[in-house]
């Protein structure tokens, strides 16, 4: 995501490196390259021009502090303007009715039905909502079954009517069902088309008129670039949606849609799709996205993902075992599962400042833990809880059972011993204060 744009912006901003002061000439040269980088990333031309004109005006109107070099100042100005371009602040859902209704609209292939399941899971787990998914796509034959499968995967109920042809009737009956059974949120999946047409728009307008949604979210594939922006404008002109959901930002996206869409339709990007997994959805934060575009990482999001997997009771149990030197392979295996739940390994690493570019050409296999897991699962329960009994014959049996070699088993045991020593030192130090700070409390 944004890799080419990040490279181009970095090269553009280096033009000011070593300059003693900002002048109209060096600013113009830098911003000319910035504008080219934005346009190459499929950013709307008018948006790119307005962006660079604004940065130029601010740069030439500032007195540069002696502690700030021109290059550093330009990075800050570009960062701040990127944040402004994408909306400034994160914008949440405005759900006031009971049941609240969220209507999803968009073209076929944008990931609309999948996003219904992801949003349902997000609302259930993060906001403790009782969610009902309404299968109102009566146009695509497999849409209803797809939503049922997704609902089953995320533990969210799905309302559907077999052989239904009227999506408005399905939506109204879903809301009636929600009121009767105490659901507080209904997510309405609607039909899409390969392209915008009158039938699609009229159907969406009819559903909107019937259910009066609290939120009408336009779901769009970020990989379609400027086509995504043009389609958003057409939908907004007819439906006046409340927000945008960008999908497939984990793919080969140049990023133009994310940078243009807010300015073109004047509606906030509320969510982004980050992977194909059911939990592959994030709230859109303009400042964090600007950080990542400029290669500054996204530590806040990384910490939030870690916190989502944090279990205070489990942490206390683990700390006691570490202090008693009782940390074993079962605990090690459980920690691996927690890391895996946080998401794609390369994506996680790229959230660290400077790591995105360093890892660009590095192939980090998301199944990198497989051999480790196989070795641990080939141990008996006694071997996992008492690593010290692992003699040569046990290691040979474990290697055969896991499809690995003795060297692999020995390497893992060494890594495990090192990890145990480090974690014991941390556990004996200020780990309680670290955890308290992660939860927003004060250290002792």
């Amino acid at each position: 995501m944004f890799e080419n744009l990040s490279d181009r912006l970095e090269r553009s901003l280096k033009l000011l490196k070593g300059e003693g002061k900002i002048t109209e000439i060096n600013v113009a040269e830098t911003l000319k390259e910035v504008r080219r980088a934005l346009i190459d990333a499929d950013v709307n031309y008018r948006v790119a021009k307005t962006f660079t004109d604004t940065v130029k005006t601010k740069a030439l109107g500032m007195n540069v502090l002696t502690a700030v070099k021109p290059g550093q100042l330009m990075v800050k100005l570009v960062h701040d303007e990127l944040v402004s371009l994408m909306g400034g602040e994160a914008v949440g859902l405005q759900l006031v009715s009971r049941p609240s209704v969220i209507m999803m609209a968009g073209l076929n292939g944008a990931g609309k039905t999948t996003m219904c399941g992801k949003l349902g899971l997000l609302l259930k787990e993060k906001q403790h909502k009782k969610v009902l998914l309404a299968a109102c796509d009566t146009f695509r034959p497999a849409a209803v079954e797809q939503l049922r499968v997704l609902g089953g995967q995320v533990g969210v109920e799905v309302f559907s009517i077999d052989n239904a042809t009227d999506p408005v009737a399905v939506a109204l009956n879903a809301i009636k069902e929600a009121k009767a059974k105490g659901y507080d949120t209904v997510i309405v999946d609607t039909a899409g088309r390969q392209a915008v047409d009158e039938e699609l728009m009229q159907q969406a307008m009819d559903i909107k008129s019937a259910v009066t949604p609290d939120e009408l979210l336009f779901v769009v594939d970020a990989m379609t670039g400027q086509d995504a922006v043009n389609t958003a404008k057409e939908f907004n002109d007819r439906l006046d949606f409340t927000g945008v959901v960008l999908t497939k930002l984990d793919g080969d996206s140049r990023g133009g849609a994310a940078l243009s869409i807010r300015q073109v339709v004047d509606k906030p990007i509320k969510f982004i799709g980050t992977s194909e997994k059911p939990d592959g959805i994030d709230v859109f934060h303009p400042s964090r996205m600007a950080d990542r575009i400029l290669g500054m990482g996204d530590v806040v999001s990384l910490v939030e993902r870690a916190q989502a997997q944090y279990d205070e009771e489990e942490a206390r149990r683990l700390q006691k075992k570490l202090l008693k030197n009782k940390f074993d392979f079962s605990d090690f295996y459980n920690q691996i599962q927690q890391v895996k739940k946080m998401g794609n390994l390369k994506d996680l690493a790229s959230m660290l400042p400077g790591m995105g570019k360093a890892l660009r050409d590095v192939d980090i296999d998301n199944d990198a833990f497989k051999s480790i897991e196989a070795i641990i699962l080939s141990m008996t329960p006694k071997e996992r809880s008492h690593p010290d009994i692992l003699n040569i014959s046990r290691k040979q049996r474990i290697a055969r059972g896991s499809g690995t070699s003795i060297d692999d088993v020995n390497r893992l045991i060494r890594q495990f011993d090192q990890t145990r020593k480090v974690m014991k030192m941390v556990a004996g130090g200020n780990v309680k204060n670290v955890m308290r700070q992660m939860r927003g409390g004060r250290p002792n």
Side-chain angles (χ1 to χ4, degrees):
M1 180 174 61
F2 297 115
E3 290 178 352
N4 291 333
L5 176 59
S6 296
D7 281 346
R8 290 290 300 276
L9 286 177
E10 184 180 355
R11 289 199 297 270
S12 302
L13 295 170
K14 276 184 177 177
L15 292 172
L16 276 174
K17 189 175 182 179
E19 294 285 351
K21 61 180 180 178
I22 282 181
T23 67
E24 188 163 355
I25 293 175
N26 60 31
V27 165
E29 184 181 1
T30 298
L31 292 178
K32 181 180 179 181
E33 292 303 313
V34 169
R35 185 165 60 246
R36 284 177 177 169
L38 293 171
I39 292 171
D40 284 349
D42 218 6
V43 174
N44 179 278
Y45 174 78
R46 291 189 183 88
V47 172
K49 187 176 187 307
T50 301
F51 177 91
T52 50
D53 287 348
T54 302
V55 173
K56 180 179 179 180
T57 300
K58 290 181 178 179
L60 295 178
M62 293 184 73
N63 292 319
V64 183
L65 299 173
T66 55
V68 181
K69 297 178 181 178
Q72 294 171 334
L73 176 65
M74 186 60 73
V75 170
K76 183 183 186 306
L77 289 174
V78 169
H79 176 275
D80 291 348
E81 199 56 32
L82 280 173
V83 174
S84 176
L85 183 68
M86 292 184 285
E89 298 289 336
V91 179
L93 295 172
Q94 305 300 312
L95 304 178
V96 294
S97 306
R98 186 168 178 89
S100 301
V101 179
I102 303 170
M103 177 178 163
M104 312 290 270
L107 297 181
N108 277 345
K112 178 163 39 64
T113 301
T114 302
M115 191 54 67
C116 286
K118 291 181 178 182
L119 184 57
L121 178 63
L122 180 75
L123 293 175
K124 184 185 80 165
E125 292 196 340
K126 298 294 180 63
Q127 299 185 24
H128 309 292
K129 300 281 189 183
K130 187 178 180 183
V131 182
L132 182 67
L133 304 179
C136 299
D137 183 353
T138 58
F139 177 76
R140 187 164 59 92
V144 174
E145 184 57 29
Q146 182 186 357
L147 195 63
R148 286 174 181 156
V149 171
L150 287 168
Q153 290 175 345
V154 301
V156 174
E157 291 295 319
V158 176
F159 178 86
S160 62
I161 299 176
D162 291 339
N163 303 315
T165 57
D166 183 0
V168 174
V170 177
L172 290 173
N173 276 284
I175 294 171
K176 184 178 179 181
E177 176 90 352
K179 289 178 179 177
K181 296 188 176 179
Y183 290 92
D184 48 39
T185 308
V186 179
I187 300 176
V188 178
D189 185 26
T190 63
R193 297 289 191 281
Q194 293 301 320
V196 177
D197 61 25
E198 183 59 32
E199 182 182 8
L200 169 67
M201 286 300 182
Q202 189 59 53
Q203 187 179 95
M205 290 168 67
D206 290 344
I207 296 173
K208 179 186 177 183
S209 178
V211 304
T212 57
D214 298 75
E215 291 276 357
L216 201 171
L217 301 179
F218 172 66
V219 183
V220 62
D221 181 350
M223 294 177 70
T224 56
Q226 275 306 295
D227 285 342
V229 179
N230 297 333
T231 304
K233 188 175 187 311
E234 290 187 68
F235 269 82
N236 192 52
D237 289 344
R238 298 290 295 274
L239 293 174
D240 189 26
F241 53 71
T242 58
V244 177
V245 180
L246 280 178
T247 63
K248 304 179 187 178
L249 270 174
D250 56 321
D252 186 21
S253 168
R254 289 186 287 174
L259 294 173
S260 304
I261 210 162
R262 173 66 189 245
Q263 297 300 309
V264 173
V265 300
D266 194 28
K267 295 293 170 65
I269 301 171
K270 296 202 171 187
F271 297 100
I272 55 174
T274 57
S275 75
E276 295 180 0
K277 294 181 179 179
D279 60 353
I281 178 173
D282 278 338
V283 174
F284 182 75
H285 292 272
S287 60
R288 299 182 195 179
M289 191 61 70
D291 286 346
R292 297 189 73 172
I293 290 171
L294 293 175
M296 299 174 182
D298 185 2
V299 175
V300 176
S301 292
L302 182 61
V303 170
E304 284 182 352
R305 290 199 193 184
Q307 284 180 315
Q309 304 303 324
Y310 174 79
D311 184 313
E312 189 170 358
E313 185 176 339
E314 172 64 15
R316 280 197 296 266
R317 185 194 69 79
L318 195 60
Q319 186 184 14
K320 289 179 182 177
K321 293 192 71 174
L322 285 165
L323 291 172
K324 295 178 181 179
N325 206 30
K326 297 292 186 181
F327 182 78
D328 59 31
F329 272 111
S330 292
D331 300 313
F332 192 46
Y333 180 85
N334 290 336
Q335 294 305 302
I336 290 174
Q337 304 316 304
Q338 296 301 315
V339 172
K340 288 173 66 176
K341 287 179 183 177
M342 288 172 61
N344 179 280
L345 293 178
K346 189 170 184 177
D347 184 46
L348 292 175
S350 69
M351 291 181 178
L352 297 171
M355 290 301 290
K357 184 178 180 181
L359 294 172
R360 187 155 307 157
D361 298 320
V362 178
D363 183 22
I364 299 181
D365 186 357
N366 213 40
D367 292 328
F369 292 123
K370 270 192 172 180
S371 62
I372 295 174
E373 291 170 315
I375 292 171
I376 296 174
L377 292 175
S378 294
M379 296 177 186
T380 65
K382 185 177 180 179
E383 288 168 344
R384 284 180 222 157
S385 58
H386 299 86
D388 295 337
I389 69 172
L390 291 173
N391 56 28
I392 186 64
S393 62
R394 290 177 183 270
K395 291 176 185 177
Q396 288 173 338
R397 193 203 74 250
I398 292 168
R400 288 194 300 271
S402 59
T404 59
S405 67
I406 282 285
D407 287 342
D408 293 328
V409 175
N410 285 330
R411 189 180 304 113
L412 174 58
I413 293 172
R414 287 195 298 271
Q415 291 171 345
F416 169 77
D417 287 339
Q418 292 169 354
T419 301
R420 183 162 57 173
K421 289 175 184 176
V422 171
M423 291 181 73
K424 184 181 179 182
M425 286 190 289
V426 172
N430 294 318
V431 70
K432 289 183 179 179
N433 286 341
V434 172
M435 291 177 179
R436 190 173 289 109
Q437 287 176 19
M438 284 182 69
R439 299 194 303 276
R442 295 178 177 274
N444 289 330

